[in-house]
Amino acid sequence: MNSTLHVPRSICAGAVWPAFPDDASARMLALQYQFGQTQWWPPAQIAAMQLQQFAQIFRHALATVPFYQQQLAGWAAADVTDWNRYRELPVITRSTVQQAGDAMHSAAPPREHGALVRTESSGSTGRPLVTVGSSWTQLLWQALLLRDHLWHGRDLRGKLAAIRTRTTNAEYAGWGAATAAFRTGPSVVRNMSADLDEQVYWLTRENPDYLLSLATNVQALAARSLELGERPQQLKQVRTYGEMLRPECREIVREAWGVELIDSYSSEELGYIALQCPACEHYHVQAESLIVEVLDEAGRPCEPGTIGQIVVSTLHNFAMPLLRYASGDFAEVGKSCHCGRGLPVLRRIVGRQRNMLVRPGGGRYWPSFASELWREIAPIKQIQLVQKDRDNVELRIVAPRELTADETHRLFAVLEDSLGCAYRMTLVRLAEIPRSVGGKYEDFICEVI
């Protein structure tokens, strides 16, 4: 990576290099310096510092947060001295946090942490989660985004295009707060509610160096770009966020645009949880910000290669600490990375509980039905499976015409084979498959309680 691409802005007249940054930029650069050291620490050293930081927020939670004062009655501030004791803390769920409401808020957040910042999740399950952070948690979130830019060698002087939900169409001179310490190129933002063809042509006209959007929207854009023969010639890299990334998405992006896709894993209440490794396609937990466990059904840590529930403790949100919080996401643990970083590894993010298929005889698993299986059968644009009960699956499709009896039979057969179980399937053709309130698209939804 050419380091001249990232010369900081200077506020000192006549001093271009070395730069004299303003206070906000100095804080951001100081965090990057620390990240540059800590990412190479051995796992044991990272874990020791996590536990030391957790002791600070645990003490604060017991002293100032009504929910924890009640839930952890009998615990003392000095009780969490090792990881075995840490894992004895109860796990709290998303619904628990929602029900607790303001009782989750600290009665005395440190003044030094700055103004309180309210965030609200997309509410894909129908009920948004409202959380409170501070200026410092926002700074940390932005610093981790900057780490992602630097990890993946992005030329900050290029043009960034973002297609998002809950936004208005706009043009900006820079890339946003995370890169304010540097001189950057412009950015453009488009609301994702626009018709897919309109998005494709907009992307071609804007011709950005970098594209950011939800994973399913990127996949649809790349597929439609191939069909229309449209391609942004300047595009260097695609970034995805907010949804589980399907394996075929990377390949279709390469085919359509000839670039690599970089994914990230985050949430509104936790910030950046894991970023894709610069050397491969798995994810590094952002251990300077969070403690992330992956636990099996018995609450034990999962071994590499196994899937479990993600449980997270925030390390710096003193306004609303989340201690051993299970958001409902699941991931597969990875082995230590050949890149040499000591940050924990997640091999892949596999989804949420409601994205798990229930077998007719019992048991749950994450279904897989790659688009190449069904695109070859009929002119299907989009597909969604909804499990109504243990034996019945509703297959929703978007297609320009009704499917023939033979196409329907072949479609059911290939999906049944992919799912690994026999279900009674019902076909429903729709004009479009709606996204959730937060703009996310789920290709499988389980309604079995």
Side-chain angles (χ1 to χ4, degrees):
M1 180 176 65
N2 186 346
S3 60
T4 61
L5 304 181
H6 306 294
V7 175
R9 293 178 185 271
S10 180
I11 61 168
C12 181
V16 178
W17 179 82
F20 291 77
D22 60 24
D23 289 347
S25 296
R27 287 193 291 269
M28 182 70 77
L29 294 171
L31 284 169
Q32 296 306 317
Y33 172 79
Q34 293 179 75
F35 292 164
Q37 307 298 310
T38 57
Q39 65 182 336
W40 303 113
W41 285 357
Q45 185 176 358
I46 292 173
M49 292 306 296
Q50 284 183 310
L51 200 60
Q52 183 175 327
Q53 179 59 37
F54 180 79
Q56 303 296 316
I57 201 164
F58 181 68
R59 184 182 303 114
H60 174 78
L62 287 181
T64 72
V65 180
F67 172 81
Y68 292 114
Q69 290 172 336
Q70 180 178 0
Q71 189 201 44
L72 301 178
W75 284 71
D79 275 354
V80 183
T81 56
D82 57 43
W83 286 106
N84 288 331
R85 188 60 169 152
Y86 172 85
R87 294 187 183 100
E88 292 176 10
L89 289 167
V91 173
I92 61 173
T93 64
R94 183 185 181 92
S95 61
T96 300
V97 176
Q98 289 172 322
Q99 291 166 12
D102 291 350
M104 294 293 303
H105 301 173
S106 170
R111 286 187 179 181
E112 299 87 347
H113 289 211
L116 298 183
V117 180
R118 181 180 181 273
T119 60
E120 184 174 309
S121 72
S122 60
S124 58
T125 59
R127 187 180 178 189
L129 177 65
V130 178
T131 51
V132 176
S134 68
S135 298
W136 285 104
T137 60
Q138 292 294 301
L139 174 63
L140 186 56
W141 189 332
Q142 293 158 5
L144 292 174
L145 172 54
L146 180 56
R147 167 188 258 183
D148 186 66
H149 289 322
L150 300 178
W151 268 9
H152 295 285
R154 294 177 194 127
D155 183 350
L156 301 181
R157 300 170 301 181
K159 183 177 182 179
L160 170 65
I163 303 177
R164 292 180 172 274
T165 61
R166 299 190 293 177
T167 190
T168 56
N169 299 342
E171 299 180 4
Y172 300 98
W175 286 22
T179 54
F182 302 97
R183 298 188 183 279
T184 71
S187 62
V188 288
V189 181
R190 182 80 175 179
N191 191 289
M192 208 171 68
S193 62
D195 177 81
L196 188 62
D197 283 10
E198 187 178 342
Q199 292 183 45
V200 170
Y201 288 120
W202 175 84
L203 191 60
T204 302
R205 288 196 307 272
E206 293 293 343
N207 196 24
D209 295 274
Y210 302 98
L211 169 66
L212 169 69
S213 193
L214 289 171
T216 54
N217 195 55
V218 163
Q219 187 168 338
L221 277 172
R224 189 59 177 150
S225 292
L226 279 172
E227 294 171 352
L228 295 173
E230 291 285 331
R231 176 177 176 173
Q233 298 298 317
Q234 198 167 276
L235 194 64
K236 296 181 175 68
Q237 193 181 86
V238 172
R239 294 163 51 205
T240 52
Y241 74 100
E243 296 174 323
M244 183 184 75
L245 182 72
R246 298 197 67 82
E248 66 267 25
C249 188
R250 294 184 188 277
E251 187 54 43
I252 197 167
V253 165
R254 293 187 189 106
E255 182 183 357
W257 298 324
V259 301
E260 294 301 310
L261 184 152
I262 306 299
D263 191 35
S264 62
Y265 171 42
S266 64
S267 73
E268 292 289 347
E269 65 268 31
L270 299 169
Y272 281 104
I273 303 167
L275 301 174
Q276 185 178 319
C277 176
C280 47
E281 294 181 354
H282 63 219
Y283 304 80
H284 281 296
V285 170
Q286 299 304 285
E288 298 92 344
S289 175
L290 306 159
I291 295 172
V292 176
E293 304 169 87
V294 182
L295 305 179
D296 64 18
E297 292 182 355
R300 298 177 300 241
C302 290
E303 296 294 326
T306 58
I307 295 171
Q309 178 176 216
I310 291 179
V311 175
V312 179
S313 290
T314 56
L315 292 176
H316 298 92
N317 189 352
F318 285 69
M320 184 177 167
L322 292 173
L323 311 183
R324 297 203 83 203
Y325 163 71
S327 65
D329 291 341
F330 288 74
E332 179 184 338
V333 178
K335 297 179 181 179
S336 58
C337 186
H338 66 79
C339 74
R341 290 175 175 83
L343 300 170
V345 173
L346 301 178
R347 182 174 176 269
R348 60 190 175 111
I349 316 301
V350 296
R352 303 179 69 86
Q353 183 77 25
R354 80 192 213 108
N355 301 116
M356 295 179 73
L357 185 75
V358 179
R359 299 181 189 273
R364 291 175 179 263
Y365 74 103
W366 280 271
S368 176
F369 41 96
S371 59
E372 58 262 24
L373 295 176
W374 44 268
R375 284 187 184 275
E376 297 175 356
I377 293 173
I380 300 170
K381 301 295 183 183
Q382 198 174 25
I383 192 171
Q384 183 183 65
L385 272 65
V386 180
Q387 186 172 17
K388 296 296 186 178
D389 56 46
R390 286 196 175 192
D391 300 307
N392 293 280
V393 172
E394 181 177 278
L395 171 56
R396 301 170 179 174
I397 66 167
V398 175
R401 60 168 174 78
E402 297 289 348
L403 270 59
T404 66
D406 179 65
E407 289 170 335
T408 301
H409 175 75
R410 290 167 56 204
L411 181 60
F412 284 176
V414 75
L415 288 174
E416 182 177 304
D417 182 66
S418 181
L419 296 177
C421 294
Y423 295 92
R424 288 193 293 272
M425 291 193 180
T426 305
L427 184 65
V428 178
R429 179 170 164 255
L430 301 173
E432 70 174 322
I433 296 173
R435 291 178 176 266
S436 70
V437 175
K440 297 181 180 180
Y441 168 73
E442 296 174 316
D443 57 8
F444 179 81
I445 298 172
C446 180
E447 295 181 351
V448 181
I449 299 175

